[in-house]
Amino acid sequence: MAEYEAVIGLETHIQLNTITKIFCSCKADSWEDPPNSNICPVCTGLPGVLPVMNKAVVEKAALLAAAMHAEIQPLSYFDRKNYFYPDLPKGYQISQYDMPLARGGYLDLPMPDGTTRPVTIEKLHVEEDAGKTKNEDGYRLIDFNRCGVPLVEMVTGPDLRSADEAAQYIIRLRQLLRWLEISEANMEKGHLRCDANVSIRPEGAQALFTKTEIKNVNSIVAVRDAIQTEIERQTREVEAGNEIEAWTLEWDEDSGVLRKMRSKETEADYRYFHEPDLLPIRVDEQWRADILAQLPELPLERRARFIEQYDLPEYDANILTEERSLSDYFENAAAAYAADPKRVSNWLMNDVLRMINDRDTKAGDLALIPEYLAEIIKLVDSGTVNTSTGKSLLEKVEDTGKSPSQIVVDEGLAQVSDEDSIRVICAEVIDENPEPVASYKGGKTSIIGWFVGQVMRKSQGKADPQMAKAMLEELLAE
Ligand SMILES: [Zn+2]
């Protein structure tokens, strides 16, 4: 039996997070707004109005192009893509065709074996979104809020080889969009939409069997499941000696089934022509330089630098560069701590990240600023507080916004490490618990931990546990 290889390309639509739409001053993001509440004569295509380009759209799209290593074009055009659909009130969509904003480019995809694979970009252009059609109670309802919302359309080459790789690409793209702060990239809200072209071929062969297209997969899990299901279906068909037909499929996430939308995809004649109501987009040297000045160090570069500069394991570097404000937080905390960065990473990944997730916030928005985290670790290092008090300080600082040292003073949290006080508490614990003392003396020395626990409780967590243990052993040996 022949082994088959999958060949996958992804087409994504990315909603840019501009305040206003691409050609009018209507609010761009209508999530949770009532239908048809953010519309005007321009975006609903009434006669006698003219579109005006929103510069922020070009800047955000060009930033993405630069991050994808694509060539930003000094001159590009808007084009009319003519088709007729109820949710497209103008009868055309303003898009870009043969002279798009950027050309070429790739996204580096980290592979499980530690290498990276460049996934090429075949198309990157800006366009306006269309409205939304909804069928309800036998009526067809149309919401024009989404008309004129700015999109970047980005299409990869057929470079992905499995459902997992396709999912990885979307994960990395989403990370990049958020990192650049140009899109919320929330798939459930439609900020990032994905269609997949899937075909297979016998391993080692060049020619492909016919491809199919899967439309509108709205989560990372759906991308992976829909593509995997389609690869398996195509493999079964080919092995049974059947032809694969050029279907367009729709993924039903609830039932995990692909449904046929239409059997034959005819290349529609969109009769493209340059949009006569808009000037071409001219990105001159100055504007280009201004845009590129906004380009931050990218996630994979930063990950490599974290491994190199801070001597972090790859695992840590991966997590700390998942999100930009988290990686800024780490660097600031490491600078404030000015000692072993791995120690900062441990506190951040274990305790601070849990707090960020529990409170559904971002590292950059914490009241526990990086300097306070460094201060808490130093308080533990110096023995001023023990580790568990240090951990409880994280929440206390976040709740009050006070500095850790201030809270230690206010609440009297400093560790008790003078011998006399601890000796008194240890003696009390021994006096009050004759039975455990007897079993300890009878040879069951493993219960020393229980005695330490009693001392910690009596001291309200402030005793130095090492000192308490040594003292108890000494007293119990008498
Ligand atoms: Zn409008």
Side-chain angles (χ1 to χ4, degrees):
M1 199 171 69
E3 289 290 321
Y4 296 96
E5 167 179 73
V7 176
I8 302 155
L10 297 179
E11 177 177 331
T12 47
H13 283 94
I14 298 147
Q15 180 177 326
L16 299 174
N17 61 356
T18 52
I19 296 161
T20 58
K21 294 185 181 179
I22 184 168
F23 301 122
C24 62
S25 54
C26 291
K27 188 175 151 212
D29 193 4
S30 290
W31 185 252
E32 288 184 335
D33 286 350
N36 299 308
S37 55
N38 296 316
I39 58 174
C40 75
V42 174
C43 54
T44 51
L46 296 186
V49 295
L50 285 173
V52 178
M53 189 188 72
N54 180 351
K55 274 181 82 176
V57 171
V58 175
E59 285 163 0
K60 285 171 192 272
L63 202 57
L64 175 60
M68 302 300 282
H69 317 278
E71 283 285 324
I72 300 167
Q73 301 297 300
L75 178 68
S76 67
Y77 285 88
F78 285 110
D79 294 87
R80 286 192 185 180
K81 181 180 182 180
N82 297 279
Y83 66 94
F84 297 95
Y85 205 73
D87 60 23
L88 190 73
K90 292 201 291 282
Y92 58 85
Q93 178 189 20
I94 303 180
S95 180
Q96 293 193 292
Y97 185 50
D98 54 347
M99 294 188 69
L101 179 68
R103 291 187 190 275
Y106 60 90
L107 179 75
D108 272 327
L109 201 60
M111 292 286 148
D113 66 359
T115 60
T116 55
R117 161 121 56 85
V119 178
T120 57
I121 302 305
E122 287 191 345
K123 189 155 103 176
L124 192 165
H125 70 235
V126 292
E127 63 184 24
E128 61 175 346
D129 207 346
K132 240 192 251 176
T133 305
K134 191 164 105 176
N135 291 303
E136 209 173 270
D137 305 329
Y139 290 94
R140 181 181 266 194
L141 305 171
I142 301 178
D143 178 3
F144 291 128
N145 276 351
R146 223 174 57 179
C147 285
V149 167
L151 301 178
V152 171
E153 179 178 318
M154 199 159 73
V155 181
T156 75
D159 298 334
L160 299 157
R161 292 289 172 270
S162 69
D164 278 335
E165 286 185 23
Q168 262 309 311
Y169 173 84
I170 297 292
I171 290 169
R172 288 291 170 184
L173 175 61
R174 183 179 62 179
Q175 174 193 34
L176 184 65
L177 296 170
R178 290 177 176 167
W179 190 277
L180 297 171
E181 297 169 348
I182 59 172
S183 172
E184 280 181 50
N186 185 327
M187 292 190 86
E188 283 71 25
K189 290 185 183 177
H191 296 146
L192 176 57
R193 288 167 245 163
C194 175
D195 303 332
N197 286 307
V198 181
S199 53
I200 59 169
R201 64 185 170 198
E203 230 163 72
Q206 280 298 309
L208 293 162
F209 294 115
T210 308
K211 71 178 178 192
T212 59
E213 187 180 2
I214 307 171
K215 286 277 185 198
N216 291 324
V217 266
N218 296 324
S219 69
I220 307 273
V221 174
V223 169
R224 187 186 291 115
D225 291 352
I227 294 175
Q228 188 56 35
T229 305
E230 179 57 5
I231 293 170
E232 287 165 11
R233 185 190 71 85
Q234 290 186 8
T235 307
R236 274 198 310 275
E237 292 291 334
V238 167
E239 287 185 341
N242 299 328
E243 294 261 319
I244 293 169
E245 293 176 61
W247 287 345
T248 300
L249 301 157
E250 188 176 43
W251 177 245
D252 183 333
E253 200 165 354
D254 297 328
S255 55
V257 171
L258 285 163
R259 286 212 184 83
K260 203 160 96 176
M261 291 172 78
R262 38 185 188 266
S263 54
K264 205 166 161 227
E265 180 81 331
T266 47
E267 218 7 79
D269 179 6
Y270 291 119
R271 297 174 297 122
Y272 282 101
F273 60 87
H274 286 333
E275 167 61 59
D277 290 343
L278 284 163
L279 292 169
I281 306 172
R282 287 180 201 279
V283 183
D284 62 21
E285 275 308 310
Q286 185 56 54
W287 195 14
R288 192 190 143 86
D290 291 347
I291 292 167
L292 293 184
Q294 308 291 314
L295 188 68
E297 183 184 29
L298 299 177
L300 287 188
E301 293 165 9
R302 201 165 204 186
R303 185 180 74 151
R305 185 167 62 78
F306 276 13
I307 295 169
E308 177 73 28
Q309 182 180 337
Y310 299 106
D311 204 17
L312 291 181
E314 191 179 320
Y315 177 80
D316 293 41
N318 234 338
I319 292 177
L320 294 176
T321 55
E322 253 168 33
E323 194 254 318
R324 190 166 151 196
S325 86
L326 181 64
S327 51
D328 289 342
Y329 190 103
F330 166 74
E331 291 212 87
N332 292 333
Y337 182 59
D340 183 14
K342 174 64 178 143
R343 193 152 159 74
V344 176
S345 170
N346 290 346
W347 276 74
L348 199 44
M349 293 204 307
N350 295 326
D351 306 288
V352 181
L353 256 190
R354 189 183 314 121
M355 193 162 87
I356 288 170
N357 291 332
D358 288 350
R359 297 180 183 228
D360 193 22
T361 183
K362 277 168 73 173
D365 295 335
L366 291 175
L368 175 78
I369 55 174
E371 290 73 15
Y372 287 166
L373 173 62
E375 193 178 320
I376 291 172
I377 306 174
K378 284 184 196 166
L379 287 169
V380 174
D381 290 350
S382 66
T384 308
V385 299
N386 59 37
T387 305
S388 68
T389 304
K391 295 202 167 173
S392 72
L393 275 173
L394 297 170
E395 300 274 351
K396 287 180 177 169
V397 171
E398 186 57 31
D399 288 337
T400 63
K402 286 193 208 166
S403 80
S405 308
Q406 187 62 49
I407 294 172
V408 169
V409 171
D410 289 353
E411 299 191 13
L413 297 176
Q415 181 161 259
V416 177
S417 50
D418 72 286
E419 280 201 26
D420 291 342
S421 321
I422 292 185
R423 186 178 294 275
V424 170
I425 299 171
C426 289
E428 276 174 25
V429 167
I430 287 169
D431 274 354
E432 288 162 12
N433 296 284
E435 278 179 35
V437 169
S439 42
Y440 182 91
K441 290 189 168 171
K444 206 177 163 202
T445 53
S446 61
I447 60 168
I448 189 70
W450 179 85
F451 284 104
V452 176
Q454 299 306 305
V455 172
M456 294 309 288
R457 212 175 64 181
K458 259 185 180 291
S459 69
Q460 280 145 1
K462 292 187 286 186
D464 177 339
Q466 257 89 41
M467 194 179 272
K469 179 163 179 271
M471 198 87 70
L472 283 162
E473 280 168 345
E474 190 193 313
L475 291 170
L476 285 164
E478 279 169 4

